[in-house]
Amino acid sequence: MKILVPVKRVIDYNVKVRVKADNTGVELANVKMSMNPFDEIAVEEALRIKEAGNAEEVIVVSVGPAQAQETLRTALAMGADRAILVKTDDLVEPLAVAKILKAIVAEEVPELVILGKQAIDDDCNQTGQMLAALLEWPQGTFASEVKLGEGAVNVTREVDGGLETVKLTLPAVVTADLRLNEPRYASLPNIMKAKRKPLDTKEPSDYGVDTTRRLTTLKVEEPSKRASGIIVESIAELVTKLRDEAGVI
């Protein structure tokens, strides 16, 4: 069985994001970039399935600029077998990414696609669902546990009311949530080995996908600063302030 894992290059989660002076977006120049944390969890889950003897190959794919090769090499150093970079300098929307992934699935014929539930830069939470719809495959989103069975996969999902377990017939699409696992660190020998693993470079046009944006960002601005809190002396004073000043009761 093959497992396909899409990954995205984003601003590192430890970096404080700064808005550009002209409010057209966020500052990316000279900013540390890394693999989207949810995608890193997806890579780890795919590797665990392979190590358990339930998969023969893990393929990672990214849609983005040439620098996304670094992200793919990180996944290869973690243990993935090979990588595909669909190179584009455009900002690609989730639907276009899903269409590219659909074409890659048609070429590679994986039985399982695992990806992060969302990217921390745009927080769209759409690509996995769109891909499943385009492929007409069953999907298990927000996965906190994945158990592979005979021709099926049981996915425990985090929902508002707690946990829900669904059984999906393979092939299927699964999106990883934060509590699915803890990703491993790539060892130095594996980082060196990753440089020799195959990494193919494609373009969206190779898959017949138009990446022209359908959405326009009008303005990006920082959230308003929170007002400082106060300490009240009694419950009665708290109720008075909530009623008379805050107007919430």
Side-chain angles (χ1 to χ4, degrees):
M1 181 177 80
K2 289 183 184 178
I3 302 177
L4 186 72
V5 187
V7 298
K8 187 177 183 182
R9 178 177 182 264
V10 299
I11 296 177
D12 189 89
Y13 69 93
N14 287 312
V15 173
K16 178 176 173 55
V17 177
R18 293 180 291 113
V19 175
K20 289 182 178 178
D22 58 3
N23 295 109
T24 58
V26 298
E27 190 59 63
L28 297 179
N30 301 315
V31 174
K32 182 183 178 183
M33 308 291 282
S34 62
M35 189 188 306
N36 178 48
F38 291 105
D39 296 340
E40 199 172 8
I41 292 169
V43 172
E44 174 65 27
E45 192 64 23
L47 295 176
R48 292 187 183 189
I49 292 173
K50 180 187 174 184
E51 290 166 354
N54 295 317
E56 289 77 40
E57 188 177 30
V58 175
I59 308 163
V60 288
V61 57
S62 187
V63 180
Q67 296 90 328
Q69 289 188 42
E70 300 169 9
T71 306
L72 291 171
R73 291 293 179 194
T74 299
L76 293 172
M78 290 173 68
D81 297 290
R82 58 189 174 94
I84 301 170
L85 171 62
V86 183
K87 183 182 172 185
T88 175
D89 291 324
D90 298 332
L91 290 175
V92 187
E93 294 174 353
L95 180 57
V97 174
K99 289 179 178 179
I100 292 170
L101 293 177
K102 179 189 176 185
I104 294 174
V105 166
E107 281 189 356
E108 297 292 344
V109 197
E111 288 191 62
L112 188 61
V113 178
I114 308 178
L115 63 163
K117 70 170 185 176
Q118 65 195 73
I120 62 171
D121 53 358
D122 56 21
D123 278 333
C124 282
N125 180 24
Q126 296 174 343
T127 304
Q129 293 89 327
M130 288 178 170
L131 176 61
L134 291 172
L135 292 171
E136 297 184 351
W137 285 8
Q139 59 180 303
T141 55
F142 314 130
S144 62
E145 185 178 16
V146 175
K147 287 187 177 180
L148 218 59
E150 188 66 35
V153 58
N154 289 337
V155 178
T156 300
R157 306 178 58 239
E158 297 194 353
V159 296
D160 291 341
L163 299 176
E164 173 188 64
T165 301
V166 294
K167 183 177 182 179
L168 314 175
T169 55
L170 295 175
V173 176
V174 175
T175 68
D177 210 335
L178 189 65
R179 279 160 286 280
L180 180 58
N181 60 53
E182 185 174 341
R184 69 192 67 185
Y185 290 101
S187 65
L188 183 57
N190 286 337
I191 292 173
M192 301 305 293
K193 289 178 184 177
K195 295 179 180 180
R196 297 191 296 272
K197 289 184 178 180
L199 193 160
D200 295 331
T201 302
K202 303 282 188 176
E203 294 185 359
S205 58
D206 295 334
Y207 300 106
V209 176
D210 180 11
T211 58
T212 302
R213 302 193 71 187
R214 293 170 170 79
L215 304 176
T216 302
T217 301
L218 301 179
K219 187 178 183 182
V220 177
E221 54 187 359
E222 293 187 9
S224 56
K225 297 187 182 301
R226 294 181 59 182
S228 59
I230 61 172
I231 298 176
V232 296
E233 299 296 332
S234 65
I235 298 295
E237 184 183 356
L238 172 62
V239 172
T240 299
K241 288 188 176 292
L242 289 175
R243 182 182 63 242
D244 300 338
E245 296 181 16
V248 296
I249 60 173

